[in-house]
Amino acid sequence: MQFLDTSFLKSEEIFLQLDRTVDPADAGRPDWLPAYHFRICLPDGTEAGVCDLRVGHNESVYYGGNIGYRVHPQHRGRHYAGKACLLLFALARRHGLTYLYITCNPENIPSRRTCEFAGGRLEAVVDLPPDNDMALRGEPRKCIYKFSL
């Protein structure tokens, strides 16, 4: 896969600053998908959080999501994660993806609201396979949100 230019990932409120890309071959993890990792920045360059996009589909991404995000506590409540997801959707489309998954723990109400803000449809609440990394860390269930691009 060819990593693309990401300089267009910006709006009036935030921009995504590319931190790094991860090629599964270079990481020695053939089960991983190519990934972009970003800082979510305010117009003045202040980092408000982080996000990432995993390009493609496999079982791991079904349970873990194509997009991950975390907003720093002092910047929460402004929909920065949801706005970052909307920007990442454009990058996913440039890679030819027609849908994405974002997952979260059922009790994580802010993340569920982020998925709804970004236009996700709750597809299922599932029990994770017992050998899944997240299940092994004590996360037994995930909400699976699907996004049509």
Side-chain angles (χ1 to χ4, degrees):
M1 184 201 87
Q2 176 83 19
F3 287 102
L4 305 176
D5 173 60
T6 61
S7 61
F8 69 96
L9 298 175
K10 55 188 169 186
S11 69
E12 291 181 13
E13 293 181 73
I14 63 168
F15 67 92
L16 302 184
Q17 178 67 51
L18 183 64
D19 182 44
R20 70 187 185 285
T21 57
V22 177
D23 183 324
D26 295 340
R29 293 293 307 256
D31 55 322
W32 286 6
L33 293 171
Y36 295 85
H37 295 263
F38 298 94
R39 293 182 306 119
I40 302 169
C41 297
L42 304 181
D44 68 1
T46 300
E47 182 179 310
V50 295
C51 62
D52 57 73
L53 171 68
R54 291 170 287 282
V55 180
H57 297 289
N58 63 17
E59 181 178 318
S60 179
V61 164
Y62 178 76
Y63 293 117
N66 289 97
I67 292 176
Y69 46 77
R70 185 178 73 251
V71 174
H72 303 318
Q74 67 271 30
H75 296 289
R76 292 180 181 160
R78 297 177 186 92
H79 298 293
Y80 291 146
K83 292 169 184 174
C85 289
L86 296 174
L87 293 173
L88 291 174
F89 293 167
L91 180 58
R93 281 191 292 271
R94 288 188 181 192
H95 277 287
L97 297 178
T98 59
Y99 68 95
L100 294 175
Y101 291 111
I102 299 177
T103 70
C104 64
N105 293 338
E107 66 278 1
N108 187 340
I109 301 304
S111 192
R112 293 181 76 160
R113 286 189 183 132
T114 292
C115 290
E116 293 163 4
F117 172 87
R121 179 182 55 80
L122 180 62
E123 185 170 275
V125 179
V126 300
D127 292 326
L128 293 175
D131 63 341
N132 180 281
D133 289 345
M134 293 176 291
L136 294 171
R137 288 193 311 261
E139 300 176 36
R141 297 173 60 80
K142 289 291 178 181
C143 295
I144 311 288
Y145 285 87
K146 188 172 186 178
F147 297 79
S148 296
L149 303 178

